Amino acid sequence: MSAEFPSVRPRRLRTTPAMRRLVAETRLHPAELILPAFVREGIAEPQPIGSMPGVVQHTRDTLRRAAVEAAEAGVGGIMLFGVPAVQDATGTAGTDPEGILQLAIRDVVSEVGDELVVMSDLCLDEFTDHGHCGVLAADGSVDNDATLERYAEMAVVQADAGVHLVGPSGMMDGQVAVVRRALDAAGHQDTGILAYTAKYASAFFGPFREAVGSSLKGDRKTYQQDPANAREALRELAQDVAEGADLVMVKPAMSYLDVVRQVADASPVPVAAYQVSGEYAMVEAAAANGWIERERTILETLTSIRRAGAEQILTYWAVEAAGMLR
């Protein structure tokens, strides 16, 4: 027995829901949640994503409605991913002003204005026929610097469409600096950058590739981070902040909570984390089998990410979780 027992009883602060709520150290709020959403060109009805129960590829019309629903739920933002009808070697649809992602940005901004922070994925993997995040060199490797030129073009057309934050996610060296220069040169000084600072070559991205129709063969280990490395994330953080990132992100979230914590402790700008498709799918699958309590698990996972230091969380449960938190 402790010498202080029984005068010190931590359980006194766990006695009722009101007491637990009063002393909670970590709180979730809908405004901290960001909804990732997919919009697909050339479909008449939303298309369910088999490996992500409850998530769909939207039409332009259903995406508008989803954005309104998110705004009404008090969600903080929406991150848009475009799925084009045609992919090619250089991801032409990603820089076409009339491409599906640019049209979706305009749709959502016109629908919700400033009620949501409208964000867009700035990467080529959805638009290339090889599924990599950049332009390929003759030997089949991803050409970092040629890819940066494409990212600069993408940033400008997305900003022209009215996006509030661009999210360069390809893990190319120098991507934040190149995007910042391109935005400023085009007169988009107020368009912010949510940098995918520590994006790991993760097995948890599998369902996402179905969601965006990726044709990737092989892997992205030469440009995404090695899951074995945490200190490297701090080097990426320092570089992204120096290059002008307004927010930074760790992706995935749940298997990298230690990295979230280290980045949050070191970052001078807000830190987000992405609860990715595989993390979502595992919970949904376990809940469907009756192995876990679904709603409790959703909130527990989100709380763990927030507790680790993330100030914003990208999650496919954003709207549903916002309703639970009210």
Side-chain angles (χ1 to χ4, degrees):
M1 285 287 185
S2 165
E4 297 178 319
F5 180 85
S7 60
V8 176
R9 293 180 181 264
R11 287 180 55 187
R12 292 187 189 116
L13 300 183
R14 305 169 194 156
T15 52
T16 66
M19 182 68 75
R20 293 189 293 274
R21 186 170 61 246
L22 179 70
V23 299
E25 299 174 25
T26 304
R27 300 183 192 278
L28 286 172
H29 191 279
E32 298 165 346
L33 304 178
I34 298 166
L35 176 68
F38 307 100
V39 57
R40 180 175 167 183
E41 186 175 18
I43 58 173
E45 300 291 337
Q47 300 297 302
I49 300 166
S51 55
M52 300 176 68
V55 180
V56 301
Q57 295 172 325
H58 284 285
T59 69
R60 289 176 63 187
D61 285 339
T62 64
L63 177 65
R64 289 189 189 96
R65 293 198 290 272
V68 170
E69 180 185 23
E72 290 175 345
V75 167
I78 186 168
M79 172 65 80
L80 303 177
F81 298 86
V83 184
V86 177
Q87 299 169 323
D88 60 27
T90 59
T92 303
T95 50
D96 180 354
E98 299 304 311
I100 184 60
L101 181 53
Q102 285 67 253
L103 293 175
I105 292 168
R106 292 190 187 96
D107 290 342
V108 171
V109 170
S110 68
E111 198 72 42
V112 298
D114 293 334
E115 293 180 53
L116 279 180
V117 178
V118 181
M119 312 173 192
S120 52
D121 183 53
L122 200 166
C123 194
L124 288 171
D125 59 325
E126 300 102 301
F127 303 104
T128 56
D129 55 11
H130 47 73
H132 276 288
C133 297
V135 178
L136 299 187
D139 64 0
S141 64
V142 174
D143 186 327
N144 190 95
D145 295 1
T147 299
L148 294 181
E149 295 179 18
R150 299 287 291 130
Y151 286 3
E153 297 174 52
M154 290 184 77
V156 172
V157 295
Q158 291 178 8
D160 286 346
V163 80
H164 303 131
L165 289 172
V166 295
S169 63
M171 290 299 288
M172 297 297 124
D173 292 339
Q175 63 184 13
V176 173
V178 166
V179 166
R180 184 71 271 158
R181 285 198 296 268
L183 290 171
D184 291 351
H188 294 297
Q189 291 87 352
D190 290 338
T191 303
I193 298 175
L194 168 56
Y196 284 56
T197 289
K199 183 178 180 181
Y200 285 86
S202 173
F204 289 102
F205 296 152
F208 177 89
R209 291 174 187 163
E210 178 190 353
V212 297
S214 174
S215 53
L216 178 69
K217 301 212 172 24
D219 56 54
R220 299 180 176 132
K221 293 179 180 178
T222 61
Y223 49 99
Q224 294 179 348
Q225 279 189 237
D226 185 338
N229 295 348
R231 183 174 56 202
E232 184 181 23
L234 299 181
R235 186 181 187 192
E236 294 278 2
L237 169 66
Q239 182 170 326
D240 282 355
V241 170
E243 291 180 8
D246 298 289
L247 303 89
V248 296
M249 181 153 65
V250 176
K251 180 180 180 180
M254 292 165 57
S255 293
Y256 296 88
L257 295 179
D258 60 320
V259 178
V260 174
R261 179 75 270 163
Q262 291 181 57
V263 170
D265 286 344
S267 178
V269 300
V271 176
Y274 197 143
Q275 186 179 50
V276 300
S277 59
E279 296 169 332
Y280 172 91
M282 288 193 305
V283 171
E284 290 289 350
N289 278 284
W291 298 335
I292 58 175
E293 295 180 49
R294 183 177 176 277
E295 291 190 0
R296 281 186 63 194
T297 303
I298 290 170
L299 292 181
E300 186 173 339
T301 61
L302 293 171
T303 300
S304 74
I305 298 166
R306 184 71 183 87
R307 189 181 64 242
E311 296 155 283
Q312 296 80 34
I313 304 172
L314 285 84
T315 176
Y316 300 98
W317 288 305
V319 173
E320 183 177 1
M324 295 181 206
L325 294 170
R326 289 191 164 185

